Amino acid sequence: MKFFSSILLAAVSLVFSGCRSTPPPTPLSELNSHQTRGHSVFQTRCAACHYDRQSGPLHGPSLLSLYKKPALPSGAAATDERVTATITQGRNLMPAMGGQLDDADLNDLISYLHTL
Ligand code: HEC
């Protein structure tokens, strides 16, 4: 009986560790000044449609662990080029925001997304 319960415990802990395969986001209090600025750009421009620090869809997919996962929700590689193009040119129901963000906003936003 003891043997079986330890197998069960091992199986359960395997399942739970499998769910948390990526490290958690950097706490907001530990962000550098660019990342903190990027967080406020996120709040203004993206938060209405995307969660950043929790999983699950809003109007678009959650951006939690964006760069820590093997691919973007669409299946494309999670690169700065691809994410920047998504933001500036839009994608399906996501509006193009190239005209609303300057280079500093965009760079700080990308820095913040890397902390998720
Ligand atoms: C009006 C709602 C809306 C806003 C605002 C918005 N998005 Fe999106 N976003 C979406 C939707 C919807 C998708 C899913 C598009 C698809 O693949 O069909 C998406 C997809 C994405 C993707 C995944 C692209 C891929 O290749 O899978 C990224 C990354 C992303 N958004 C980042 C952002 C960032 C960063 C911002 C803020 C600058 C932002 N979005 C603002 C709706 C929005």
Side-chain angles (χ1 to χ4, degrees):
M1 192 59 205
K2 193 157 190 299
F3 176 71
F4 285 111
S5 52
S6 50
I7 296 231
L8 191 69
L9 198 69
V12 167
S13 48
L14 203 69
V15 167
F16 278 107
S17 60
C19 293
R20 245 271 163 257
S21 52
T22 50
T26 310
L28 291 177
S29 59
E30 291 174 23
L31 300 185
N32 69 29
S33 59
H34 286 285
Q35 294 160 346
T36 301
R37 242 197 111 249
H39 178 241
S40 51
V41 174
F42 181 89
Q43 297 295 349
T44 315
R45 304 289 181 183
C46 323
C49 294
H50 295 279
Y51 287 128
D52 52 347
R53 313 184 73 83
Q54 70 179 75
S55 57
L58 201 51
H59 296 296
S62 169
L63 304 184
L64 179 67
S65 306
L66 190 69
Y67 285 101
K68 295 172 186 161
K69 291 180 179 161
L72 296 176
S74 63
T79 61
D80 287 350
E81 289 70 28
R82 177 65 196 222
V83 171
T84 304
T86 304
I87 297 166
T88 55
Q89 296 160 26
R91 184 184 157 77
N92 299 327
L93 292 176
M94 175 166 159
M97 283 174 278
Q100 303 161 38
L101 296 167
D102 62 24
D103 281 354
D105 289 342
L106 210 49
N107 287 337
D108 291 349
L109 176 59
I110 297 284
S111 307
Y112 173 64
L113 296 177
H114 274 282
T115 71
L116 297 176

